[in-house]
Amino acid sequence: MKNYRLLLVGFGNVGQGFAQLLIDRKDALAADFGCSFTIVGVTTRSRGSVYATDGLDPQALLDAVQSGILNGVDCDHTGWSVEDMLANAEADIMVETSYTNLETAEPASSYIRQALQNGMHVSTANKGPVALNYAELAGLANEKGLQLQAEGTVMSGTPAVALGLDQLKAAGVTQVKGILNGTTNYILTQMEDGMSYADALKVAQDLGYAEADPAGDVEGHDAAGKVVILANMLLNAGIKPADVATDGITNISSADVDAAKAAGERWKLIGAIEVVDGAIKASVSPQRLSTAHPLANVMGATNAITYTTEAMGDVTLIGAGAGRVETGYSILQDLLAIHRLAG
Ligand code: HSE
């Protein structure tokens, strides 16, 4: 049995969903994959920081974080900063789920660099560093003989990245088209059922789909970040968010939604990447799709992606795009990929 020592940077919804899965899937992971995972350190911005050489109890971490502070759990050290933890912890893998900044990608990029420099593999669900610095960070990982995995950055634990990067890579991907933002798809779905834009956005916020600043969702920037991630990870496009022609749903009115419905169509916010004569064209825009189109029938907060390939034609994947356990599951996939590739 191979055991991996984990350092968790960030312990919000995603980290907690992951810790819950480690508890729930422990026996299956051992039986099916021959591996186990021990959380040795957790650092957070506002809920403390704990480290134990022999491992922390995941259930105790979940109970403690609910009560507001981690530092009371049974451990050897409290209060280490992320930098101290990365310098002092004995760990194999850093699980990075700190907050997303799509403009600077910090502090997450610095944490990832430090972890790789210190010999740790990295799993991140953070869109910022992958959208802005993927080539550099993947290059550093490669140089060090380490893995950088980021399944959760697009469509949470629905394996959209692995599908393109592993299973369909050899089929020759020529186009990627997807509903990559749950908040906007939820709003458009509710508007079709008669809810106002403002009310639908409020519910999407209450349900936890929206970003801290929902402008990032409705103006298309969150979807654009995911388009950049896919273009750079799958196609080595080397593009930035500013290279994506981006339009959100803020100008779509209830009347527009009704007019589309009357014509047998539906508005969807579509992220697209096309390879045209060897050049990459990337965009995010609201589009009216016929209800016969596979992406037109993806409703609510659900996401979907269609890969167009030379050898396999179109392959479409539909599934969760956000959520505590769903994004936590992406971390588990990353760890199993590390186990397969480097274990
Ligand atoms: N705000 C994002 C969405 C969360 O609505 O899809 C997942 O990245």
Side-chain angles (χ1 to χ4, degrees):
M1 177 83 61
K2 173 87 179 164
N3 183 61
Y4 295 89
R5 296 168 62 82
L6 309 179
L7 179 54
L8 272 49
V9 174
F11 199 54
N13 275 327
V14 180
Q16 291 170 42
F18 166 65
Q20 189 62 56
L21 283 167
L22 275 192
I23 297 168
D24 296 345
R25 304 270 172 231
K26 185 172 189 240
D27 294 344
L29 287 167
D32 296 339
F33 298 95
C35 59
S36 60
F37 301 97
T38 303
I39 300 173
V40 293
V42 182
T43 61
T44 70
R45 254 194 314 169
S46 56
R47 283 175 283 189
S49 163
V50 286
Y51 177 78
T53 308
D54 294 334
L56 298 155
D57 175 11
Q59 188 59 57
L61 290 169
L62 288 170
D63 293 343
V65 82
Q66 290 306 322
S67 71
I69 186 83
L70 293 170
N71 292 10
V73 304
D74 193 12
C75 65
D76 305 335
H77 290 280
T78 58
W80 273 343
S81 66
V82 178
E83 289 80 2
D84 289 343
M85 186 74 84
L86 285 165
N88 294 306
E90 268 177 55
D92 305 302
I93 304 172
M94 175 178 76
V95 173
E96 197 281 316
T97 62
S98 70
Y99 62 95
T100 292
N101 184 324
L102 269 173
E103 273 151 31
T104 66
E106 289 298 344
S109 295
S110 298
Y111 298 157
I112 293 173
R113 281 185 203 106
Q114 195 185 345
L116 292 169
Q117 292 290 3
N118 289 8
M120 295 176 206
H121 302 287
V122 173
S123 160
T124 181
N126 192 324
K127 287 167 276 195
V130 187
L132 301 190
N133 298 322
Y134 180 70
E136 176 226 321
L137 297 172
L140 179 58
N142 197 35
E143 194 184 297
K144 299 278 175 191
L146 296 164
Q147 291 291 314
L148 169 63
Q149 297 285 336
E151 182 61 64
T153 55
V154 181
M155 286 177 68
S156 68
T158 306
V161 174
L163 183 65
L165 199 59
D166 300 331
Q167 281 85 7
L168 292 178
K169 180 88 177 168
V173 174
T174 56
Q175 192 185 69
V176 185
K177 234 177 165 177
I179 295 171
L180 302 175
N181 180 267
T183 300
T184 46
N185 206 48
Y186 181 83
I187 293 172
L188 292 171
T189 301
Q190 294 304 317
M191 284 171 77
E192 194 178 317
D193 288 342
M195 200 183 271
S196 72
Y197 171 93
D199 285 351
L201 173 57
K202 171 84 176 56
V203 181
Q205 286 178 287
D206 291 345
L207 290 172
Y209 304 141
E211 298 296 300
D213 177 1
D217 295 292
V218 295
E219 291 173 4
H221 303 300
D222 175 76
K226 292 165 182 165
V227 162
V228 171
I229 289 169
L230 290 169
N232 291 350
M233 286 187 85
L234 310 181
L235 302 168
N236 296 320
I239 61 171
K240 302 186 201 62
D243 299 321
V244 182
T246 303
D247 192 7
I249 64 160
T250 47
N251 293 323
I252 308 284
S253 65
S254 294
D256 294 328
V257 170
D258 292 345
K261 192 176 178 179
E265 294 179 343
R266 243 180 217 132
W267 284 101
K268 293 290 173 191
L269 186 67
I270 300 295
I273 305 162
E274 264 182 285
V275 186
V276 183
D277 296 330
I280 306 283
K281 275 180 61 181
S283 62
V284 172
S285 63
Q287 295 179 17
R288 262 173 76 154
L289 303 181
S290 156
T291 48
H293 192 290
L295 295 181
N297 296 301
V298 175
M299 307 301 276
T302 304
N303 283 192
I305 193 163
T306 299
Y307 286 103
T308 300
T309 70
E310 286 164 354
M312 285 292 298
D314 283 1
V315 179
T316 297
L317 179 69
I318 301 173
R324 181 178 192 262
V325 171
E326 292 86 344
T327 313
Y329 185 69
S330 73
I331 304 294
L332 206 47
Q333 290 181 76
D334 284 350
L335 300 188
L336 291 172
I338 292 168
H339 176 55
R340 270 196 303 277
L341 295 164

CSV table of all heavy atoms in Angstrom, one decimal, residues 100 125 127 152-156 179-186 204 208-214 216-217 222-223 226 301 303 321-323 327, ligand 1:
chain,number,residue,atom,x,y,z
A,100,THR,N,-9.3,32.2,-5.6
A,100,THR,CA,-9.0,32.4,-7.1
A,100,THR,C,-8.8,33.9,-7.3
A,100,THR,O,-9.7,34.7,-7.0
A,100,THR,CB,-10.1,31.8,-8.0
A,100,THR,OG1,-10.1,30.4,-7.9
A,100,THR,CG2,-9.9,32.2,-9.4
A,125,ALA,N,-7.2,23.3,-7.6
A,125,ALA,CA,-8.5,23.5,-8.2
A,125,ALA,C,-8.7,25.0,-8.5
A,125,ALA,O,-9.8,25.5,-8.7
A,125,ALA,CB,-9.6,23.1,-7.2
A,127,LYS,N,-8.3,28.4,-10.5
A,127,LYS,CA,-8.2,28.8,-11.9
A,127,LYS,C,-7.1,29.8,-12.2
A,127,LYS,O,-6.6,29.8,-13.3
A,127,LYS,CB,-9.6,29.4,-12.3
A,127,LYS,CG,-10.7,28.3,-12.5
A,127,LYS,CD,-12.1,28.9,-12.6
A,127,LYS,CE,-12.6,29.2,-11.2
A,127,LYS,NZ,-14.1,29.5,-11.2
A,152,GLY,N,-9.9,20.1,-11.4
A,152,GLY,CA,-11.0,20.9,-10.8
A,152,GLY,C,-11.2,22.3,-11.4
A,152,GLY,O,-12.1,23.0,-11.0
A,153,THR,N,-10.2,22.7,-12.2
A,153,THR,CA,-10.3,24.1,-12.7
A,153,THR,C,-11.4,24.3,-13.7
A,153,THR,O,-11.8,25.4,-14.0
A,153,THR,CB,-9.0,24.6,-13.3
A,153,THR,OG1,-8.6,23.7,-14.3
A,153,THR,CG2,-7.9,24.7,-12.2
A,154,VAL,N,-11.8,23.2,-14.4
A,154,VAL,CA,-12.9,23.3,-15.4
A,154,VAL,C,-13.9,22.2,-15.1
A,154,VAL,O,-13.5,21.0,-15.0
A,154,VAL,CB,-12.3,23.0,-16.8
A,154,VAL,CG1,-13.4,23.1,-17.9
A,154,VAL,CG2,-11.2,24.0,-17.1
A,155,MET,N,-15.1,22.5,-14.9
A,155,MET,CA,-16.2,21.6,-14.7
A,155,MET,C,-16.0,20.7,-13.4
A,155,MET,O,-16.4,19.5,-13.4
A,155,MET,CB,-16.5,20.7,-15.9
A,155,MET,CG,-17.2,21.4,-17.0
A,155,MET,SD,-17.4,20.4,-18.5
A,155,MET,CE,-18.6,19.2,-18.0
A,156,SER,N,-15.5,21.3,-12.4
A,156,SER,CA,-15.3,20.6,-11.1
A,156,SER,C,-14.8,19.2,-11.3
A,156,SER,O,-13.8,19.0,-12.0
A,156,SER,CB,-16.5,20.7,-10.2
A,156,SER,OG,-17.6,19.9,-10.7
A,179,ILE,N,-20.5,24.7,-22.2
A,179,ILE,CA,-21.2,25.6,-21.2
A,179,ILE,C,-20.3,25.4,-20.0
A,179,ILE,O,-20.4,24.3,-19.3
A,179,ILE,CB,-22.6,25.1,-21.0
A,179,ILE,CG1,-23.5,25.3,-22.2
A,179,ILE,CG2,-23.3,25.8,-19.8
A,179,ILE,CD1,-24.8,24.6,-22.2
A,180,LEU,N,-19.5,26.4,-19.7
A,180,LEU,CA,-18.5,26.2,-18.7
A,180,LEU,C,-18.7,27.0,-17.4
A,180,LEU,O,-17.9,27.0,-16.5
A,180,LEU,CB,-17.1,26.7,-19.3
A,180,LEU,CG,-16.7,25.9,-20.6
A,180,LEU,CD1,-15.4,26.5,-21.2
A,180,LEU,CD2,-16.5,24.4,-20.3
A,181,ASN,N,-19.8,27.7,-17.4
A,181,ASN,CA,-20.2,28.5,-16.2
A,181,ASN,C,-21.6,28.1,-15.7
A,181,ASN,O,-22.6,28.3,-16.4
A,181,ASN,CB,-20.1,30.0,-16.5
A,181,ASN,CG,-20.4,30.8,-15.2
A,181,ASN,OD1,-21.6,31.2,-15.1
A,181,ASN,ND2,-19.4,31.1,-14.4
A,182,GLY,N,-21.7,27.6,-14.5
A,182,GLY,CA,-23.0,27.2,-13.9
A,182,GLY,C,-23.9,28.3,-13.6
A,182,GLY,O,-25.1,28.2,-13.8
A,183,THR,N,-23.4,29.4,-13.1
A,183,THR,CA,-24.2,30.5,-12.6
A,183,THR,C,-25.0,31.1,-13.8
A,183,THR,O,-26.2,31.2,-13.7
A,183,THR,CB,-23.3,31.6,-12.1
A,183,THR,OG1,-22.6,31.1,-10.9
A,183,THR,CG2,-24.1,32.8,-11.6
A,184,THR,N,-24.4,31.3,-14.9
A,184,THR,CA,-25.1,31.9,-16.1
A,184,THR,C,-26.1,30.9,-16.7
A,184,THR,O,-27.1,31.3,-17.1
A,184,THR,CB,-24.1,32.4,-17.1
A,184,THR,OG1,-23.1,31.4,-17.3
A,184,THR,CG2,-23.4,33.7,-16.7
A,185,ASN,N,-25.7,29.6,-16.7
A,185,ASN,CA,-26.7,28.7,-17.2
A,185,ASN,C,-27.9,28.6,-16.3
A,185,ASN,O,-29.0,28.4,-16.8
A,185,ASN,CB,-26.0,27.3,-17.4
A,185,ASN,CG,-26.6,26.5,-18.5
A,185,ASN,OD1,-26.9,27.0,-19.6
A,185,ASN,ND2,-27.0,25.3,-18.2
A,186,TYR,N,-27.6,28.7,-15.0
A,186,TYR,CA,-28.7,28.6,-14.1
A,186,TYR,C,-29.7,29.9,-14.3
A,186,TYR,O,-30.9,29.7,-14.4
A,186,TYR,CB,-28.2,28.6,-12.7
A,186,TYR,CG,-29.3,28.6,-11.6
A,186,TYR,CD1,-29.9,27.4,-11.3
A,186,TYR,CD2,-29.7,29.7,-11.0
A,186,TYR,CE1,-30.9,27.3,-10.3
A,186,TYR,CE2,-30.8,29.7,-10.1
A,186,TYR,CZ,-31.3,28.5,-9.7
A,186,TYR,OH,-32.4,28.4,-8.8
A,204,ALA,N,-28.8,32.0,-7.5
A,204,ALA,CA,-27.5,31.4,-7.8
A,204,ALA,C,-26.4,31.7,-6.8
A,204,ALA,O,-25.6,30.8,-6.4
A,204,ALA,CB,-27.0,31.8,-9.2
A,208,GLY,N,-24.6,29.1,-3.9
A,208,GLY,CA,-23.2,28.9,-3.8
A,208,GLY,C,-22.5,28.7,-5.2
A,208,GLY,O,-21.4,28.3,-5.3
A,209,TYR,N,-23.2,28.9,-6.3
A,209,TYR,CA,-22.6,28.7,-7.6
A,209,TYR,C,-21.7,29.9,-8.0
A,209,TYR,O,-20.7,29.7,-8.7
A,209,TYR,CB,-23.7,28.5,-8.7
A,209,TYR,CG,-24.8,27.5,-8.5
A,209,TYR,CD1,-26.1,27.7,-8.8
A,209,TYR,CD2,-24.4,26.2,-7.9
A,209,TYR,CE1,-27.1,26.7,-8.6
A,209,TYR,CE2,-25.4,25.3,-7.7
A,209,TYR,CZ,-26.7,25.5,-8.1
A,209,TYR,OH,-27.7,24.6,-7.9
A,210,ALA,N,-22.2,31.1,-7.6
A,210,ALA,CA,-21.5,32.3,-8.1
A,210,ALA,C,-20.2,32.5,-7.5
A,210,ALA,O,-19.9,32.1,-6.4
A,210,ALA,CB,-22.5,33.5,-7.9
A,211,GLU,N,-19.3,33.2,-8.2
A,211,GLU,CA,-18.0,33.7,-7.6
A,211,GLU,C,-18.3,34.7,-6.5
A,211,GLU,O,-19.4,35.3,-6.5
A,211,GLU,CB,-17.2,34.3,-8.7
A,211,GLU,CG,-16.8,33.3,-9.8
A,211,GLU,CD,-15.9,32.2,-9.3
A,211,GLU,OE1,-14.8,32.4,-8.8
A,211,GLU,OE2,-16.3,31.0,-9.5
A,212,ALA,N,-17.3,35.0,-5.7
A,212,ALA,CA,-17.5,36.0,-4.6
A,212,ALA,C,-18.0,37.3,-5.3
A,212,ALA,O,-18.9,38.0,-4.7
A,212,ALA,CB,-16.2,36.2,-3.9
A,213,ASP,N,-17.4,37.7,-6.4
A,213,ASP,CA,-17.9,38.8,-7.2
A,213,ASP,C,-18.6,38.2,-8.4
A,213,ASP,O,-17.9,37.8,-9.3
A,213,ASP,CB,-16.8,39.8,-7.6
A,213,ASP,CG,-17.3,40.9,-8.4
A,213,ASP,OD1,-18.5,41.0,-8.7
A,213,ASP,OD2,-16.5,41.7,-8.8
A,214,PRO,N,-19.9,38.2,-8.4
A,214,PRO,CA,-20.6,37.5,-9.5
A,214,PRO,C,-20.5,38.2,-10.9
A,214,PRO,O,-20.8,37.6,-11.9
A,214,PRO,CB,-22.1,37.5,-9.1
A,214,PRO,CG,-22.2,38.6,-8.1
A,214,PRO,CD,-20.9,38.8,-7.4
A,216,GLY,N,-17.8,38.4,-12.4
A,216,GLY,CA,-16.9,37.4,-13.1
A,216,GLY,C,-17.7,36.4,-13.8
A,216,GLY,O,-17.3,35.9,-14.8
A,217,ASP,N,-18.9,36.0,-13.2
A,217,ASP,CA,-19.7,35.0,-13.9
A,217,ASP,C,-20.5,35.6,-15.0
A,217,ASP,O,-20.4,35.2,-16.2
A,217,ASP,CB,-20.7,34.4,-12.9
A,217,ASP,CG,-20.0,33.6,-11.8
A,217,ASP,OD1,-19.5,32.5,-12.1
A,217,ASP,OD2,-20.0,34.0,-10.6
A,222,ASP,N,-15.3,34.3,-15.9
A,222,ASP,CA,-15.0,33.0,-15.3
A,222,ASP,C,-14.9,31.9,-16.5
A,222,ASP,O,-14.0,31.1,-16.5
A,222,ASP,CB,-16.1,32.6,-14.3
A,222,ASP,CG,-16.0,31.2,-13.8
A,222,ASP,OD1,-15.1,31.0,-13.0
A,222,ASP,OD2,-16.7,30.3,-14.3
A,223,ALA,N,-15.9,32.0,-17.4
A,223,ALA,CA,-15.9,31.1,-18.5
A,223,ALA,C,-14.6,31.3,-19.4
A,223,ALA,O,-14.0,30.4,-19.9
A,223,ALA,CB,-17.1,31.3,-19.4
A,226,LYS,N,-11.7,29.6,-18.0
A,226,LYS,CA,-11.7,28.2,-18.3
A,226,LYS,C,-11.3,27.9,-19.7
A,226,LYS,O,-10.7,26.9,-20.0
A,226,LYS,CB,-13.1,27.6,-17.9
A,226,LYS,CG,-13.3,27.6,-16.4
A,226,LYS,CD,-14.8,27.5,-16.1
A,226,LYS,CE,-15.0,27.6,-14.6
A,226,LYS,NZ,-16.4,27.7,-14.2
A,301,ALA,N,-27.5,24.6,-13.3
A,301,ALA,CA,-26.1,24.8,-13.0
A,301,ALA,C,-25.2,23.8,-13.7
A,301,ALA,O,-24.0,23.8,-13.5
A,301,ALA,CB,-25.9,24.9,-11.5
A,303,ASN,N,-22.9,21.8,-16.3
A,303,ASN,CA,-22.0,22.2,-17.4
A,303,ASN,C,-21.9,21.1,-18.5
A,303,ASN,O,-22.4,20.0,-18.2
A,303,ASN,CB,-20.6,22.4,-16.8
A,303,ASN,CG,-20.4,23.7,-16.1
A,303,ASN,OD1,-19.3,24.1,-15.8
A,303,ASN,ND2,-21.5,24.4,-15.8
A,321,GLY,N,-20.6,21.4,-12.6
A,321,GLY,CA,-19.6,22.3,-12.9
A,321,GLY,C,-19.1,23.0,-11.6
A,321,GLY,O,-18.1,23.8,-11.7
A,322,ALA,N,-19.7,22.7,-10.5
A,322,ALA,CA,-19.3,23.4,-9.3
A,322,ALA,C,-19.9,22.5,-8.1
A,322,ALA,O,-20.6,21.5,-8.4
A,322,ALA,CB,-19.9,24.8,-9.2
A,323,GLY,N,-19.5,22.9,-6.9
A,323,GLY,CA,-20.1,22.1,-5.7
A,323,GLY,C,-19.0,21.7,-4.8
A,323,GLY,O,-17.9,21.5,-5.2
A,327,THR,N,-16.3,19.3,-6.5
A,327,THR,CA,-15.0,19.9,-6.8
A,327,THR,C,-14.0,19.1,-5.9
A,327,THR,O,-12.8,18.9,-6.3
A,327,THR,CB,-14.9,21.4,-6.5
A,327,THR,OG1,-16.1,22.0,-7.2
A,327,THR,CG2,-13.7,22.0,-7.1
B,1,HSE,N1,-18.8,30.5,-10.5
B,1,HSE,C1,-18.4,29.3,-11.2
B,1,HSE,C2,-19.6,28.8,-12.0
B,1,HSE,C3,-18.0,28.2,-10.2
B,1,HSE,O1,-20.7,29.3,-11.8
B,1,HSE,O2,-19.5,27.9,-12.8
B,1,HSE,C4,-17.2,27.1,-10.7
B,1,HSE,O3,-16.0,27.5,-11.4
